[in-house]
């Protein structure tokens, strides 16, 4: 999937291409359209549709006329006409009858398409287009410094060079109107190109820059989303989400677009939930609504100064609500039914993936701890208790099995060990000669490697006063 001919020079991958959808081989899968008509045979008298959809950097797509009947396929680079003069370079996104359906979706009439395709991009066109793309990063940072020097309350987010390197479009975000006439003069003097300033919203900025969302995937606005609908906080309320701006806001600073994805499903489920049931009056007290499980169709109530919550099905809630409207106050909410019986049973299915339970490691560690505790109890002696068969006293021999006892009975007796004669006490000032202990060395012999003393061992204080150790002093 990665391409090696994008403007970054080092190749790209579908997850993080720095060219923002302008790869030559269409490897980024940015705003791609699946041609589901490619395998269908057209009639013999069919004339191909003359309009081609071309994709540029970011999420910009435009329609062009193919008057010369050039054979084009998706992903090919083409040189197209521009509205302000010159030419631009983009690659084909879709061709054929699918373009007609895209025009209907975007409400573009065929008569309004006037710009045409010049030719397929040559090697010279591609080299000039790459050179223009390499200037975008430096141009954006230099223009940001100029905007800071002029104290303009605007943020330059992206720069898009035209394919012939004669024009650059600057995309910026601002809260209000900005007078950037002086900025355009300074940028025209430095860059020597025609400049166009275009203000975009926060969502459009995020779609051009791209990024990774909190779900761990690429942003929807930079991959497939083309139209940005307004997202309100009521979408979060209907889905029982906590109104935390840090969790509900995306990288654009606005509410996440994915809040609208499941909103229709929640709205259909909320049709069965009764409204205005915050309090149910009973003789025991007023039960207040604490939580609503929309898809399980359960509503949880609690009495004042009680911690336990009582789950009620929707049918029971509607019944008590109707009784309160009629002036009837029931004695209680009714018999408390366990939640397991109210909820639907889990479907029986076969685990074809082969994954174990998520708690398998906990069960294994629990079994290992039981084995360790059992072995520790066997090997340890109880305090203050008598000797058992598992923990015999040290004075008593351990019981042996019958096979070991028979083998020990047939074994010949061992010869008794002879005690070595102990050396006689020597007089003071004399050295032991005959009865030298084992391992001692004779006088003048070099110590072996195992008997050498370590250098870090402290010297004996009694040997420091000997005349051999102090040659400068005479013996007393």
């Amino acid at each position: 999937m990665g391409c090696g001919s994008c403007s970054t020079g080092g190749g790209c991958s579908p997850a993080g291409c720095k060219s923002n959808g302008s790869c030559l081989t269409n490897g980024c899968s940015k705003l791609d359209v699946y041609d589901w008509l490619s395998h269908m045979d057209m009639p013999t008298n069919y004339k191909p549709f003359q309009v081609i959809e071309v994709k540029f950097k970011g999420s910009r797509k435009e329609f062009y006329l193919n008057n010369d009947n050039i054979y084009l396929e998706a992903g090919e680079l083409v040189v197209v006409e521009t509205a302000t003069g010159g030419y631009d370079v983009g690659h084909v996104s879709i061709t054929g009858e699918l373009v007609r359906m895209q025009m209907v979706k975007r409400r573009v009439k065929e008569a309004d398409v006037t710009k045409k395709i010049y030719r397929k991009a040559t090697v010279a066109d591609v080299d000039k287009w790459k050179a223009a793309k390499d200037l975008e990063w430096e141009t954006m940072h230099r223009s940001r410094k100029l905007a800071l020097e002029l104290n303009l309350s605007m943020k330059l987010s992206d720069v898009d060079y035209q394919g012939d390197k004669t024009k650059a479009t600057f995309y910026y975000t601002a809260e209000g109107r900005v007078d950037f006439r002086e900025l355009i003069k300074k940028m025209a003097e430095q860059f020597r190109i025609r400049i166009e300033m275009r203000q975009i919203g926060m969502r459009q900025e995020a779609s051009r820059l791209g990024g990774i969302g909190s779900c761990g995937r690429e942003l929807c606005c930079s991959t497939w989303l083309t139209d940005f609908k307004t997202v309100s906080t009521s979408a979060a309320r209907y889905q029982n989400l906590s109104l935390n701006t840090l969790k509900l806001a995306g990288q654009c600073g606005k509410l996440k677009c994915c809040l609208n994805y499941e909103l229709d499903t929640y709205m259909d489920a909320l049709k069965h939930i009764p409204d205005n049931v915050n309090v149910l009056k009973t003789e025991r007290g007023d039960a207040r609504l604490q939580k609503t499980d929309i898809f399980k169709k359960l509503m949880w109530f609690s009495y004042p100064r009680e911690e336990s919550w009582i789950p009620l099905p929707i049918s029971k809630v509607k019944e008590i609500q109707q009784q309160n409207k009629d002036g009837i106050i029931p004695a209680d909410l009714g018999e408390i039914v366990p939640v397991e019986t109210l909820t639907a049973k889990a479907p029986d299915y076969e685990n074809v993936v082969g994954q174990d339970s998520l708690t398998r490691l906990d069960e294994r560690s629990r079994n290992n701890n039981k084995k360790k505790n059992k072995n520790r109890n066997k090997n340890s002696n109880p305090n203050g208790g008598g000797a058992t068969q598992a923990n015999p006293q040290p004075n008593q021999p351990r019981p042996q099995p019958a096979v070991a006892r028979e083998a020990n009975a047939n074994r010949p007796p061992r010869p008794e060990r002879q005690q070595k004669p102990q050396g006689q006490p020597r007089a003071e000032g004399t050295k032991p000669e005959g009865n030298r202990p084992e391992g001692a060395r004779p006088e003048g012999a070099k110590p072996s490697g195992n008997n050498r003393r370590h250098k870090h061992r402290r010297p004996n204080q009694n040997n420091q006063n000997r005349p051999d150790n102090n040659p400068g002093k005479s013996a007393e």
Side-chain angles (χ1 to χ4, degrees):
M1 289 294 291
C3 65
S5 57
C6 61
S7 61
T8 55
C12 72
S13 61
C17 179
K18 296 181 180 179
S19 61
N20 294 329
S22 58
C23 294
L24 305 183
T25 58
N26 197 23
C28 286
S29 300
K30 182 181 177 67
L31 295 176
D32 282 349
V33 179
Y34 177 70
D35 191 1
W36 52 275
L37 296 174
S38 59
H39 67 284
M40 299 180 65
D41 296 333
M42 297 299 175
T44 55
N45 57 352
Y46 169 74
K47 292 182 180 180
F49 193 54
Q50 296 296 323
V51 181
I52 306 295
E53 187 185 65
V54 182
K55 181 171 62 176
F56 300 93
K57 179 183 176 181
S59 58
R60 182 166 66 99
K61 289 184 177 182
E62 295 183 10
F63 299 101
Y64 294 89
L65 290 174
N66 187 11
N67 294 330
D68 298 334
N69 292 328
I70 305 173
Y71 178 73
L72 298 172
E73 293 183 356
E76 287 186 318
L77 273 176
V78 290
V79 178
V80 298
E81 181 185 1
T82 59
T84 57
Y87 66 88
D88 201 356
V89 179
H91 59 273
V92 180
S93 57
I94 51 176
T95 59
E97 288 296 320
L98 207 60
V99 183
R100 196 193 304 271
M101 302 183 67
Q102 289 292 101
M103 293 177 65
V104 173
K105 178 182 177 182
R106 296 174 60 179
R107 299 178 182 178
V108 177
K109 297 181 180 180
E110 188 176 353
D112 297 337
V113 181
T114 57
K115 294 179 288 185
K116 61 181 180 179
I117 296 176
Y118 288 142
R119 61 186 180 274
K120 289 186 179 181
T122 61
V123 178
D125 296 332
V126 174
D127 293 340
K128 195 171 185 179
W129 177 62
K130 285 185 177 180
K133 292 299 178 183
D134 293 338
L135 297 174
E136 292 179 354
W137 184 261
E138 182 182 358
T139 303
M140 183 178 64
H141 284 274
R142 290 172 62 182
S143 59
R144 283 180 178 178
K145 291 182 180 179
L146 294 175
L148 289 175
E149 292 176 359
L150 296 175
N151 295 326
L152 297 178
S153 58
M154 58 184 296
K155 177 187 175 183
L156 291 169
S157 58
D158 196 12
V159 181
D160 187 8
Y161 264 85
Q162 200 167 276
D164 55 356
K165 210 166 75 172
T166 59
K167 176 187 173 183
T169 304
F170 291 83
Y171 297 91
Y172 71 95
T173 57
E175 295 182 358
R177 293 179 58 88
V178 180
D179 186 7
F180 44 76
R181 289 176 292 182
E182 188 68 23
L183 177 64
I184 292 179
K185 290 180 182 179
K186 290 190 175 183
M187 287 193 298
E189 293 175 359
Q190 289 193 10
F191 305 137
R192 301 291 180 181
I193 55 175
R194 291 184 291 114
I195 295 173
E196 179 184 352
M197 305 293 293
R198 186 172 297 178
Q199 186 175 2
I200 58 177
M202 298 295 182
R203 300 185 189 276
Q204 287 79 8
E205 180 187 13
S207 67
R208 297 190 65 87
L209 300 180
I212 304 298
S214 58
C215 58
R217 304 182 64 179
E218 281 191 86
L219 299 179
C220 299
C221 55
S222 62
T223 51
W224 63 271
L225 196 62
T226 55
D227 52 341
F228 303 102
K229 298 180 180 179
T230 58
V231 185
S232 60
T233 55
S234 60
R237 291 193 183 95
Y238 287 136
Q239 301 178 45
N240 285 341
L241 298 176
S242 61
L243 299 179
N244 189 353
T245 55
L246 297 177
K247 294 183 179 180
L248 297 180
Q251 294 190 2
C252 57
K254 305 291 184 179
L255 292 177
K256 294 180 180 179
C257 297
C258 55
L259 291 177
N260 286 338
Y261 296 167
E262 299 178 356
L263 182 59
D264 295 338
T265 307
Y266 275 88
M267 295 300 293
D268 293 338
L270 284 172
K271 293 179 181 179
H272 306 284
I273 305 296
D275 298 332
N276 302 325
V277 286
N278 295 328
V279 178
L280 293 179
K281 296 181 179 180
T282 61
E283 295 180 358
R284 183 178 173 183
D286 293 344
R288 294 188 175 275
L289 178 65
Q290 300 294 339
K291 186 181 72 170
T292 302
D293 198 330
I294 299 174
F295 295 106
K296 292 182 180 180
K297 298 181 179 180
L298 286 178
M299 303 182 73
W300 302 74
F301 292 86
S302 67
Y303 287 106
R305 294 182 297 276
E306 290 187 8
E307 298 180 358
S308 59
W309 292 3
I310 302 174
L312 294 178
I314 295 177
S315 58
K316 184 68 175 178
V317 174
K318 291 181 179 179
E319 180 183 350
I320 298 177
Q321 186 183 19
Q322 186 64 33
Q323 290 179 0
N324 291 337
K325 289 182 180 179
D326 297 339
I328 302 173
I329 298 178
D332 202 346
L333 291 178
E335 183 180 358
I336 299 177
V337 183
V339 184
E340 291 79 7
T341 59
L342 296 176
T343 56
K345 295 183 179 179
D348 297 334
Y349 63 93
E350 184 180 358
N351 187 6
V352 296
V353 182
Q355 294 179 351
D356 298 333
S357 174
L358 295 177
T359 59
R360 64 187 187 280
L361 299 178
D362 299 338
E363 295 174 359
R364 189 178 302 172
S365 61
R366 196 180 300 112
N367 295 333
N368 293 336
N369 293 334
K370 288 182 179 179
K371 291 180 180 179
K372 289 180 181 180
N373 295 333
K374 191 178 294 183
N375 295 334
R376 191 182 297 113
N377 294 335
K378 287 182 179 180
N379 297 331
S380 61
N381 294 326
N383 297 328
T388 59
Q389 190 173 1
N391 299 318
Q393 292 184 356
N395 296 333
Q396 296 180 358
R398 290 187 176 182
Q400 297 180 353
V403 179
R405 288 198 298 269
E406 293 178 0
N408 294 334
N410 299 330
R411 185 178 300 173
R414 294 182 180 179
E416 296 182 358
R417 295 181 180 179
Q418 297 180 1
Q419 296 182 357
K420 294 182 180 181
Q422 298 180 356
Q424 299 293 333
R426 58 186 178 85
E428 295 182 358
T430 60
K431 295 182 180 180
E433 295 179 358
N435 298 331
R436 186 188 306 120
E438 186 178 357
R441 60 184 177 86
E443 186 177 358
K446 294 182 179 180
S448 60
N450 297 332
N451 296 330
R452 292 177 183 174
R453 293 190 176 185
H454 299 283
K455 293 182 180 180
H456 66 273
R457 189 175 295 174
R458 297 178 60 185
N460 192 359
Q461 296 179 359
N462 298 331
N463 295 335
Q464 292 180 358
N465 298 327
R466 294 179 62 182
D468 295 341
N469 296 335
N470 299 323
K473 298 182 180 180
S474 60
E476 295 179 359

